[in-house]
Amino acid sequence: MNSDLKLANDNIAARHRKARIFRMFCAGVTWMGAGLLAILLIQVTVDGIKWLDYQFLTSFPSRFPYKAGIKSALVGTLWLIVMIAMVSIPIGVATALYLEELSRKGRFAKLIEINISNLAGVPSIVYGIIGLAIFVRGLGLERSLLSGALTMSLLILPVIIIASREAIKTVPMSIRQAAYALGATRWQTAWAHVLPASFPGILTGVILALSRAIGETAPLIMIGALTYVAFLPEGPMDSFTALPIQIFNWVSRPQQEFHELAAGGIIVLLIVLLTMNATAIFIRQKTEKKLQ
Amino acid sequence: MSSSKSVDMQQMRDIDITKKKVRWGEWMIESSLALCATISVVTTAVIIFILAKESMGFFQVVVPADFFFGTSWVPLLEPSSYGVLPLLWGTLLITFGAALFAIPTGLASAIYLSEYASPRTRSIVKPVLEVLAGIPTVVYGYFALTFVTPLLRMLMPELQVFNALSGAIVVGIMILPTIATLSDNALRAVPDSLRQGAYALGATSYEVTTRVVVPAGLSGVMASFLLAISRAIGETMAVTLAAGATPNLSFTFLESIQTMTAYIVQVSMGDTPAGGIAYQTLFAVAAFLFVITLILNIVSQWILSKFREEYE
């Protein structure tokens, strides 16, 4: 009897020890993830900070590291953001609004829904190949900003649609019912009530989708964004380079100086991305408070 | 909740308030919105059409059996051969290595976040993981080349500058947040009553987690694994930079390899004339890649819908 009790106690102690070890393991692994992010950021900063100056931001790329800069890449990226936003936001939000508010929930809506979630999983390089075949070659848009922006828009469209639909779904039913009760049509309700109420959520999703587009490299390489561009694009039909392309170009060179230049470019890219993410999170938190 | 909402919506649509008067302006607006919605379907159709068309051209020159079972990939030099196995092998090696790293760590992080972490810790760690997920892949390529590879070469001097190991590690780091955040969502969806029941029976936190919570959320957890693996297969820039451009069929993480995606980048960096066989190999490889990732995505959605445990 006594020995049985002792055995059970030992067993309990062992089980609790196991649980403690498991807990420590999980915590350790999680903090390791955060640690990896820290190492990555420190590594990039240490390598690149000394190249970050006014000259770096305002010079064209060059084969001499001390003369090289990211002017054309930064301007190209800004062009891209604006053009992608102009194409993908109206189409994405219109699709989401249609699917959530206007369409009858039939086979067609179901088909589009399945289709969008599958499109979201297509590797970005496949979009690049499609962009090459359709926009660059098929429509004869050449290796222009327009080709790049259209390809990227296709890439982030599923992301925008999914995020916008989630935002529209959070609009309380009572708002729609009130509008219908006053005799509003479906479209009037969607346009004047549902869309404004879901606007912050949509904006958050759109910003996150755009920040994904800014960092994408593979599709732009596919459509042949030039890696050496010593001029600024002046219109949508001009050839261009972009920040991630310039970074890729510098990383793939063997010299240490170019790796450091790449780190400088990465710092600029990450600052742009973090600013956008922070804006999105700020909007999200602000609207969450308002709803409460 | 959501079902009652859709019933409401349905009822509302059935009350046709436009019966008396056709509003042509609104009809046009709704039609143009519907047109926008079809763009996504058209995109899919175009992707499949283009990949199929150009692959057909490729397979008229190259026998499909040579493509799928050939063990040598020399498309750009004479004598050329078009066996895709070395590229597929490179992709599998990277994916396998990345999964080996990311699945245990991602699941452990998800368990920590949903079962152990205080709300305060959670509110710090979750955004950190989201930032990690938002970092462009070219940055991971830089990280592999300037940090991971030199570090590994200090430990293993026989490691080549371009190697599969370094690529697999950074791709693993890249897909870790996907697994952690999606699995965390799945585990948090498991109702507390299940946990409380197990604790009431005297189970320890380890037993509750491994025998109750993870099995209950398994469909979401599995789906997160598949999505992450599909991302690893499609990953391009990091593996191009870290793992090199040598199609290689040997089972070693220490040498340079080439993945399907890295091959596509390599060819497109040169100026490939349209219509040539080199141009068509791009589409054949991309079509293969597309089919693999599509199957993984469909399976993961199927697991989610089929094996979802519904709790009240």
Side-chain angles (χ1 to χ4, degrees):
Chain A
M1 190 63 198
N2 209 352
S3 71
D4 277 359
L5 202 62
K6 189 174 177 308
L7 200 68
N9 277 336
D10 281 357
N11 192 18
I12 286 174
R15 280 166 59 205
H16 278 288
R17 205 176 313 124
K18 205 169 173 186
R20 268 199 308 279
I21 293 171
F22 180 66
R23 184 195 168 127
M24 265 154 54
F25 169 74
C26 290
V29 163
T30 310
W31 289 108
M32 183 198 75
L36 283 172
L37 180 66
I39 292 175
L40 196 154
L41 294 180
I42 291 170
Q43 163 82 5
V44 167
T45 318
V46 168
D47 276 1
I49 197 79
K50 57 179 172 286
W51 292 90
L52 263 191
D53 52 17
Y54 185 71
Q55 186 258 334
F56 182 67
L57 294 176
T58 55
S59 301
F60 288 109
S62 161
R63 59 201 172 86
F64 304 108
Y66 54 90
K67 277 191 190 168
I70 53 167
K71 186 179 184 181
S72 49
L74 197 56
V75 172
T77 288
L78 293 178
W79 267 96
L80 272 183
I81 300 179
V82 173
M83 290 175 69
I84 294 169
M86 275 164 36
V87 177
S88 62
I89 296 175
I91 297 178
V93 175
T95 303
L97 204 59
Y98 177 77
L99 290 177
E100 283 301 315
E101 298 296 316
L102 304 176
S103 76
R104 286 165 204 281
K105 297 261 183 286
R107 201 170 278 174
F108 179 64
K110 189 82 192 152
L111 173 79
I112 293 182
E113 201 166 312
I114 293 171
N115 180 52
I116 288 168
S117 55
N118 280 319
L119 273 182
V122 173
S124 61
I125 193 153
V126 173
Y127 282 99
I129 285 204
I130 299 306
L132 175 69
I134 303 180
F135 301 126
V136 178
R137 298 259 157 84
L139 298 178
L141 300 177
E142 299 297 322
R143 298 161 184 275
S144 61
L145 273 168
L146 188 59
S147 293
L150 290 175
T151 308
M152 287 298 205
S153 299
L154 287 187
L155 173 69
I156 63 166
L157 211 46
V159 187
I160 292 186
I161 296 172
I162 292 170
S164 304
R165 291 187 65 178
E166 291 305 319
I168 291 171
K169 274 183 191 157
T170 61
V171 175
M173 210 52 212
S174 53
I175 288 187
R176 295 185 187 85
Q177 286 162 342
Y180 287 133
L182 292 173
T185 63
R186 269 197 321 215
W187 166 247
Q188 285 166 343
T189 309
W191 176 251
H193 302 282
V194 176
L195 196 57
S198 57
F199 184 72
I202 293 178
L203 195 60
T204 309
V206 163
I207 293 174
L208 290 178
L210 284 178
S211 70
R212 183 178 163 199
I214 295 170
E216 277 290 351
T217 319
L220 291 183
I221 290 185
M222 290 309 303
I223 65 150
L226 295 174
T227 43
Y228 179 75
V229 174
F231 57 85
L232 297 183
E234 286 172 354
M237 294 312 292
D238 287 352
S239 54
F240 68 105
T241 186
L243 272 178
I245 300 277
Q246 189 60 58
I247 292 167
F248 173 70
N249 178 265
W250 279 334
V251 176
S252 50
R253 294 189 193 200
Q255 297 94 331
Q256 173 72 22
E257 287 87 359
F258 283 110
H259 285 179
E260 291 175 4
L261 277 177
I266 288 174
I267 295 175
V268 175
L269 181 64
L270 289 183
I271 288 173
V272 175
L273 289 179
L274 286 180
T275 313
M276 292 176 72
N277 283 336
T279 315
I281 291 169
F282 176 73
I283 295 172
R284 189 164 65 194
Q285 281 177 346
K286 197 159 174 151
T287 50
E288 264 170 13
K289 273 186 196 135
K290 209 174 86 183
L291 282 178
Q292 281 163 8
Chain B
M1 186 62 205
S2 68
S3 71
S4 78
K5 182 182 155 186
S6 69
V7 169
D8 285 350
M9 297 281 288
Q10 204 56 56
Q11 284 170 349
M12 222 162 273
R13 280 169 195 144
D14 289 342
I15 306 168
D16 194 353
I17 25 191
T18 59
K19 202 173 270 173
K20 280 175 192 158
K21 189 175 124 195
V22 179
R23 294 167 177 263
W24 288 107
E26 290 193 2
W27 181 84
M28 275 174 64
I29 291 171
E30 289 193 13
S31 307
S32 51
L33 291 189
L35 205 65
C36 286
T38 56
I39 285 180
S40 77
V41 180
V42 174
T43 307
T44 312
V46 167
I47 290 177
I48 293 172
F49 173 74
I50 299 235
L51 290 180
K53 185 181 143 232
E54 298 285 346
S55 303
M56 290 296 176
F58 174 77
F59 284 124
Q60 275 166 5
V61 182
V62 178
V63 184
D66 288 351
F67 177 72
F68 289 111
F69 303 113
T71 54
S72 167
W73 181 258
V74 194
L76 305 176
L77 298 171
E78 291 294 333
S80 52
S81 70
Y82 301 97
V84 79
L85 281 183
L87 295 184
L88 180 64
W89 181 245
T91 296
L92 290 181
L93 213 53
I94 293 283
T95 309
F96 175 74
L100 207 62
F101 168 78
I103 286 182
T105 51
L107 183 56
S109 302
I111 289 172
Y112 178 71
L113 284 175
S114 87
E115 305 301 310
Y116 291 120
S118 65
R120 210 179 111 76
T121 314
R122 234 185 99 77
S123 70
I124 298 170
V125 174
K126 198 109 197 240
V128 167
L129 285 176
E130 277 165 9
V131 170
L132 211 50
I135 289 179
T137 65
V138 68
V139 177
Y140 283 104
Y142 165 85
F143 189 57
L145 216 53
T146 62
F147 184 80
V148 179
T149 302
L151 194 69
L152 291 173
R153 271 160 71 89
M154 275 199 285
L155 304 171
M156 291 179 284
E158 72 274 23
L159 198 68
Q160 294 181 357
V161 174
F162 296 107
N163 62 82
L165 183 59
S166 175
I169 290 174
V170 289
V171 173
I173 297 173
M174 231 184 71
I175 61 174
L176 195 160
T178 309
I179 296 179
T181 47
L182 291 179
S183 293
D184 172 50
N185 292 346
L187 296 182
R188 281 166 65 83
V190 174
D192 260 344
S193 56
L194 289 188
R195 292 184 186 89
Q196 287 155 356
Y199 279 122
L201 291 172
T204 65
S205 67
Y206 170 73
E207 289 153 358
V208 171
T209 305
T210 54
R211 304 208 192 143
V212 177
V213 179
V214 173
L218 199 60
S219 66
V221 171
M222 294 303 290
S224 83
F225 292 169
L226 288 180
L227 271 182
I229 286 173
S230 150
R231 268 197 73 191
I233 290 176
E235 173 17 62
T236 310
M237 297 323 295
V239 294
T240 306
L241 283 168
T246 321
N248 192 339
L249 247 181
S250 54
F251 186 81
T252 170
F253 280 100
L254 306 181
E255 293 173 12
S256 170
I257 53 135
Q258 187 169 42
T259 63
M260 295 194 278
T261 50
Y263 168 73
I264 297 174
V265 169
Q266 186 202 0
V267 173
S268 65
M269 301 245 288
D271 204 12
T272 325
I277 185 81
Y279 182 72
Q280 285 171 334
T281 57
L282 286 184
F283 291 85
V285 174
F288 197 29
L289 190 69
F290 175 75
V291 170
I292 296 173
T293 52
L294 187 66
I295 290 173
L296 279 174
N297 290 334
I298 290 175
V299 170
S300 93
Q301 283 164 26
W302 180 75
I303 288 180
L304 264 184
S305 61
K306 186 84 180 174
F307 297 106
R308 167 166 295 157
E309 304 274 349
E310 297 279 1
Y311 300 103
E312 282 305 312

